[in-house]
Amino acid sequence: AEQLQAFDKTIPWKDVQEEGGSILAWYLPEHSNVILAKGTTTINAPAETILDFVFPKNKETFTKAMREVYREYSKGCDVAAASDGTMMIWVHTTYGVPWIQDREFLFTNRLHRASDGTAFVIFTNLAKWDKHPIHKDRVRGEMPHTCGYIIRPLGEEKCELTFLTSSNMKGWIPLWLSNRVSRASGKVVTFIRRHFEDEKTE
């Protein structure tokens, strides 16, 4: 949790803007394929409800939730393994363009709860895993920073959701595509908020 908070505080976020009810920011270090993005929003739903959505207790619901959250720029994800509900390993493949290979990311998910009720869903890069060798048609990317969700309760029926992400796309990728991915990454919080808004209107 401390690493996740330190990542947020040490990155010189640029292009901070409000979009769709969320605060989005990103940073692209020069001469690098690293993409850093952040999104923050307020959701009219209990913190535990949001936590159950981004960190479900089993493989099937986790896969379903992630495919919905990343629907605008991802083929979805494949949850490769799930243990006791506090750690999961999954593979996420981003959309490519015809002449650029897809990127896949392999990392662990774990949950940490602070004494004030804040929940941290922490992503940690996994360099290799014997059960999931690198796909011949993909490039294995990596996360250079600890990433994840921060969920802060704002009373019983409201919470603040922050998503922090970093990714090194590895290999060559055009700047325009890096910009597109970085701007899409922070929007995850907007997708999640809209999901719960739509549920209430149904």
Side-chain angles (χ1 to χ4, degrees):
E2 292 178 356
Q3 289 179 317
L4 191 58
Q5 292 175 306
F7 168 42
D8 185 14
K9 293 178 181 178
T10 56
I11 298 301
W13 297 110
K14 295 183 178 180
D15 299 318
V16 180
Q17 65 182 45
E18 183 174 358
E19 181 180 322
S22 302
I23 303 298
L24 307 177
W26 46 86
Y27 179 62
L28 302 176
E30 293 185 5
H31 311 297
S32 171
N33 275 354
V34 174
I35 296 170
L36 308 173
K38 174 184 178 180
T40 301
T41 194
T42 300
I43 304 177
N44 291 318
E48 285 298 313
T49 299
I50 304 304
L51 178 60
D52 287 343
F53 184 81
V54 301
F55 194 75
K57 301 300 189 294
N58 65 69
K59 175 178 176 177
E60 288 73 22
T61 55
F62 184 74
T63 303
K64 181 180 179 181
M66 290 301 100
R67 284 178 175 164
E68 177 165 347
V69 167
Y70 292 99
R71 64 187 182 277
E72 284 196 3
Y73 68 102
S74 168
K75 292 179 180 177
C77 70
D78 173 30
V79 180
S83 56
D84 59 358
T86 60
M87 181 172 289
M88 293 187 180
I89 299 171
W90 61 291
V91 179
H92 171 73
T93 307
T94 59
Y95 270 131
V97 291
W99 38 275
I100 296 177
Q101 286 181 289
D102 283 343
R103 265 57 175 177
E104 67 176 13
F105 297 87
L106 191 62
F107 52 95
T108 60
N109 265 10
R110 58 190 173 89
L111 174 63
H112 173 79
R113 292 181 183 270
S115 58
D116 64 356
T118 300
F120 298 84
V121 178
I122 303 166
F123 302 165
T124 304
N125 189 72
L126 190 64
K128 61 181 294 185
W129 189 37
D130 292 340
K131 291 184 178 180
H132 192 88
I134 298 175
H135 193 284
K136 65 181 180 66
D137 296 324
R138 301 172 187 163
V139 174
R140 174 69 56 82
E142 66 179 25
M143 296 190 310
H145 299 274
T146 298
C147 309
Y149 295 99
I150 303 174
I151 307 169
R152 294 189 173 90
L154 301 175
E156 294 184 358
E157 297 297 327
K158 181 181 291 188
C159 66
E160 178 188 80
L161 176 66
T162 296
F163 179 60
L164 296 158
T165 182
S166 73
S167 57
N168 186 336
M169 306 296 281
K170 295 291 187 178
W172 180 81
I173 187 170
L175 181 60
W176 65 264
L177 185 56
S178 294
N179 287 331
R180 189 177 76 179
V181 173
S182 68
R183 283 156 175 74
S185 298
K187 292 180 181 179
V188 167
V189 296
T190 304
F191 301 155
I192 295 174
R193 192 192 70 248
R194 288 174 179 170
H195 169 80
F196 286 94
E197 288 176 346
D198 291 343
E199 274 196 345
K200 289 185 177 181
T201 58
E202 290 179 355

